Amino acid sequence: MREALRGWLDQQEQLAGLLDPQVLQQQFQAAYDSLRPSPDGVPIYRLRRLLQWPLERFDAVLEALRATQSVDLDALTEQAVDAQATQDSYHVHGQCYSRLRWRA
């Protein structure tokens, strides 16, 4: 039943234009700005928790931003505050990124 509801909600969001890549990137940047980023950026896990998007959506938007060089990512150099924060960071190609900084 949850999967059916999730599918229906995704379909309604698509029909309403809420899944347009540009709209998603604007929402992502607004969430970033709301966390009052420091010069070092913000922890990715905080963005992920704030947006509460499905994993695939969050990662797809972040990858698109990275591909267009809109953001800089910092690799995780030490274990995060907790295991869940590490898990909620961004993992791609065997690398874990913990912080994100928007380029000016």
Side-chain angles (χ1 to χ4, degrees), residues 2-98:
R2 284 186 182 155
E3 285 301 314
L5 178 58
R6 182 175 300 170
W8 182 83
L9 287 172
D10 285 345
Q11 181 183 28
Q12 296 307 306
E13 288 176 336
Q14 185 73 40
L15 291 173
L18 298 176
L19 295 181
D20 177 69
Q22 188 172 4
V23 170
L24 291 174
Q25 289 179 8
Q26 290 170 348
Q27 291 173 355
F28 197 99
Q29 186 168 11
Y32 174 88
D33 291 339
S34 76
L35 292 174
R36 300 176 189 223
S38 72
D40 294 335
V42 299
I44 293 171
Y45 78 88
R46 290 188 60 208
L47 275 170
R48 192 180 294 277
R49 291 175 186 176
L50 178 63
L51 288 167
Q52 295 186 7
W53 288 347
L55 177 71
E56 299 81 13
R57 182 181 304 163
F58 184 94
D59 288 354
V61 171
L62 182 50
E63 186 57 34
L65 290 168
R66 186 171 93 132
T68 60
Q69 300 181 346
S70 299
V71 297
D72 290 319
L73 301 176
D74 293 335
L76 181 67
T77 56
E78 57 187 51
Q79 187 71 12
V81 175
D82 60 48
Q84 188 63 46
T86 299
Q87 183 178 340
D88 287 344
S89 293
Y90 179 59
H91 303 266
V92 64
H93 306 299
Q95 181 67 50
C96 179
Y97 296 96
S98 62

